[in-house]
Amino acid sequence: MRLAISQLDISQLERADAAELRRLWRAGKGADPPRTFTARLMRLALAWDAQAAQEGSETAKVKRNWNRIINDRVAGRRITHTATSLQASAGAGTRLLKEWGGTTHEVMVVEGGATWNGQSYSSLSAVARAMTGTNRNGPKFFGLREGQQ
């Protein structure tokens, strides 16, 4: 019997050891996990699958963009993707984590801007400026464009 990934309790993953994670992987995906996957990697992949099943995953366009970038990097080609190639992945509801000044900051992308530390901002650039005290390209600062800071 296969486990519906959307029914997976993410808190169950936190407590699971490697053997239990392999069992959950097999139950949810119908195959063994890759041999090189550590418990941490299985936990992350299963949590992502569960969240994507419950909330919806990337659009086909975003998947194509990611695959193009991955294939270019694997082939050793210079990255020439447009700045907007990844922006679609940061739609409303996206949670961004940024390590800055020795602290991990959480930014939530919302319709028409972003929120950080309980305040609303008109853009990711405005959040980056508030966080760092200097003008920054927000999408680049948060790693949504090639050459992230």
Side-chain angles (χ1 to χ4, degrees):
M1 180 177 121
R2 277 182 77 174
L3 169 75
I5 293 289
S6 62
Q7 297 172 337
L8 187 62
D9 181 7
I10 292 178
S11 64
Q12 180 182 6
L13 296 175
E14 292 175 312
R15 297 183 302 269
D17 62 8
E20 176 66 8
L21 290 167
R22 282 190 291 278
R23 189 193 67 72
L24 289 168
W25 188 287
R26 281 189 295 275
K29 294 178 174 277
D32 287 335
R35 298 185 84 151
T36 58
F37 272 30
T38 62
R40 180 178 180 276
L41 202 51
M42 284 187 285
R43 193 173 287 116
L44 289 171
L46 287 167
W48 191 94
D49 286 347
Q51 184 177 359
Q54 292 168 1
E55 305 293 331
S57 65
E58 307 115 338
T59 64
K61 180 181 178 184
V62 170
K63 287 179 185 177
R64 281 192 307 273
N65 286 336
W66 276 116
N67 285 332
R68 188 174 65 233
I69 290 168
I70 291 165
N71 291 336
D72 283 353
R73 285 188 176 170
V74 168
R77 290 189 292 263
R78 183 176 166 87
I79 305 299
T80 59
H81 306 291
T82 64
T84 60
S85 66
L86 293 179
Q87 274 187 298
S89 65
T94 301
R95 183 175 146 235
L96 303 170
L97 298 175
K98 176 67 177 181
E99 184 77 28
W100 183 260
T103 303
T104 300
H105 300 270
E106 181 179 335
V107 176
M108 182 65 74
V109 178
V110 296
E111 196 67 41
T115 60
W116 173 63
N117 281 351
Q119 293 190 331
S120 295
Y121 294 87
S122 61
S123 67
L124 288 175
S125 295
V127 175
R129 186 173 36 257
M131 191 181 293
T132 66
T134 61
N135 286 332
R136 303 262 180 169
N137 178 304
K140 185 175 180 182
F141 180 72
F142 288 103
L144 301 175
R145 292 188 178 168
E146 288 297 315
Q148 73 181 29
Q149 295 181 13

